[in-house]
Amino acid sequence: MGVRVRFFFAKRGRAAFLPHVELPPIFVRSARRAGLVFEYSEGCVPHPRLSLGPTLPLGIVALDEPAEGWFTLFPPDAVALWRDKLPPGLELLDAFPVEGPTLAASCPRAQYLLRPRRGEDMPALEEALAVAGGEHATWSRNPEGLLVVLEAERSMGTVLRAFGACAPGKGWRDVFVVRLRVGPEEGDGVRSLREVRR
């Protein structure tokens, strides 16, 4: 039996435009180059046992994304070895063996930072959150923009489409979006799964 490892990564720069479905092969190849071996599923078409957190829309920067992989062995220096083999824009932040609830069960909420490129668009962005987020979203203003907490599986695309309806001619290009973390809700924000070991 192998080791279930929860790992965390950041996705910045051009890597923000990597589709979610292309991340597993990148992680598997980079781990292989680092000398780490994923366990494979059983069946007609075995594939590496790897599970990503909630889908991250294309073009959104992410600072603390969780994923899980099952490895045949995960030595103490695995993080340093693996980190060096990832492509530019993808950064391995941490990794550790876990037990307990699955990743999907551990990621009910996501926290974002939204900042309109023009300050006068802030009211329209708040209106879009009220329309598209409904009871599924909470937000507050801070000096950097809006801190938004959504159900993790709810699409930020829905909010930004509503922003286009509230501010005609506006859309994705007019709002800077960063997913700060995914995990359980805590107070007005979301607690990183890196803080919830085991």
Side-chain angles (χ1 to χ4, degrees):
M1 194 71 176
V3 181
R4 177 180 158 211
V5 173
R6 186 167 288 164
F7 61 95
F8 300 84
F9 64 94
K11 191 175 156 190
R12 297 182 175 97
R14 290 176 141 179
F17 295 96
L18 288 170
H20 201 69
V21 296
E22 288 184 16
L23 292 176
I26 291 171
F27 287 126
V28 171
R29 280 194 307 269
S30 60
R32 189 180 311 126
R33 287 187 202 115
L36 305 172
V37 180
F38 275 92
E39 285 189 345
Y40 277 73
S41 62
E42 297 178 359
C44 298
V45 185
H47 57 276
R49 293 184 66 200
L50 175 65
S51 171
L52 296 177
T55 303
L56 182 67
L58 193 67
I60 292 184
V61 170
L63 302 184
D64 192 4
E65 292 296 296
E68 283 185 354
W70 284 256
F71 293 84
T72 56
L73 186 66
F74 201 77
D77 61 345
V79 173
L81 293 170
W82 195 5
R83 183 178 285 139
D84 291 339
K85 303 301 179 188
L86 285 167
L90 282 178
E91 179 188 356
L92 185 64
L93 304 171
D94 199 1
F96 47 84
V98 290
E99 297 171 358
T102 65
L103 184 60
S106 304
C107 297
R109 308 291 274 175
Q111 186 170 24
Y112 294 87
L113 173 66
L114 276 66
R115 184 174 59 230
R117 298 207 186 276
R118 295 166 41 120
E120 60 264 22
D121 290 336
M122 185 69 84
L125 188 54
E126 289 180 310
E127 184 182 344
L129 281 163
V131 170
E135 72 275 4
H136 304 286
T138 58
W139 66 91
S140 61
R141 281 193 187 195
N142 79 10
E144 295 182 31
L146 293 176
L147 280 177
V148 180
V149 176
L150 278 176
E151 288 181 357
E153 290 301 331
R154 252 180 118 68
S155 172
M156 183 52 66
T158 306
V159 171
L160 294 176
R161 279 189 295 280
F163 172 62
C166 296
K170 304 286 182 171
W172 282 90
R173 69 187 178 281
D174 300 301
V175 182
F176 178 67
V177 182
V178 176
R179 185 149 83 182
L180 301 173
R181 67 189 60 83
V182 179
E185 193 162 8
E186 182 176 75
D188 292 339
V190 172
R191 186 175 182 196
S192 169
L193 288 180
R194 282 199 284 170
E195 301 169 11
V196 187
R197 291 184 182 237
R198 296 192 188 270

